[in-house]
Amino acid sequence: MCKGLSSLPSSCLERAKGMRVKFSHLAETHHKHKVQDWRTPQDLETLLNHKGGLQAFLGFLRSEFSEENLEFWLACEDYEVSPSNLQKTKAGSIYSRFINPDAPKEVNLDAETRETLLSMIDSPYPEMFKAAQHTIYTLMAKDSFPRFLRSHPCIEAIRAF
């Protein structure tokens, strides 16, 4: 039969108490970080760097039929870190999916930016889409993101944490 904790040496009891305090502190700190990371997405960058937040935001944009902005931004992020032997293919894909005036998921870019990108499509480089990506990011930060913060998908995602 178990004799309980009283049968353990006092040094073991002290170590166990110390570990309990440390573990409870770690659990509390982890919970606070989860809450801070998601419950208060202060800006779009914070949201985009959080997997759950990114998925909730994408779902919200789909409900508004405006997911092309986030998909373009993500494609640019992927393109930027792609090996150079894949950049030409990926650049062409990004242009045809998002930038070409007849693109199925055309994003809102000015004509000058479109023409500049078209002129560079045969000689791609990692930062090629940076200006266009920044334009779309700014559009999402000023338009979609504030609406998302007031939306049902955002509130549901916060409750999940």
Side-chain angles (χ1 to χ4, degrees):
M1 185 166 265
C2 181
K3 296 179 183 178
L5 294 176
S6 60
S7 66
L8 292 173
S10 63
S11 61
C12 288
L13 290 173
E14 290 302 315
R15 285 186 64 204
K17 286 180 186 177
M19 290 175 71
R20 180 175 166 231
V21 169
K22 287 179 182 177
F23 283 131
S24 65
H25 174 72
L26 281 173
E28 185 178 305
T29 302
H30 176 72
H31 178 71
K32 282 182 183 176
H33 284 309
K34 276 183 86 174
V35 168
Q36 287 172 353
D37 283 350
W38 173 244
R39 288 193 186 245
T40 55
Q42 308 259 323
D43 56 29
L44 183 57
E45 185 174 350
T46 302
L47 181 78
L48 295 177
N49 287 315
H50 188 279
K51 186 178 179 182
L54 178 65
Q55 292 304 314
F57 188 48
L58 182 58
F60 168 74
L61 292 174
R62 282 187 177 134
S63 75
E64 292 198 329
F65 305 100
S66 62
E67 71 270 16
E68 69 277 354
N69 289 332
L70 182 55
E71 289 177 3
F72 171 74
W73 187 87
L74 291 169
C76 291
E77 289 290 294
D78 177 60
Y79 168 82
E80 205 171 284
V81 296
S82 295
S84 57
N85 63 327
L86 296 177
Q87 285 182 342
K88 189 170 184 172
T89 303
K90 287 189 176 195
S93 174
I94 290 171
Y95 188 85
S96 64
R97 281 184 63 208
F98 301 106
I99 299 168
N100 187 337
D102 296 325
K105 294 191 172 206
E106 182 183 359
V107 292
N108 189 8
L109 294 171
D110 60 273
E112 184 179 343
T113 301
R114 289 176 194 279
E115 290 171 18
T116 301
L117 289 170
L118 180 59
S119 71
M120 296 186 293
I121 207 78
D122 290 326
S123 304
Y125 59 96
E127 295 83 26
M128 176 177 160
F129 293 103
K130 219 33 157 176
Q133 184 182 19
H134 178 72
T135 299
I136 297 304
Y137 178 91
T138 303
L139 179 66
M140 289 190 299
K142 290 182 179 179
D143 183 42
S144 307
F145 180 66
R147 283 196 323 276
F148 170 70
L149 290 177
R150 297 184 300 270
S151 74
H152 181 71
C154 181
I155 293 165
E156 288 301 310
I158 289 170
R159 284 187 188 146
F161 284 86

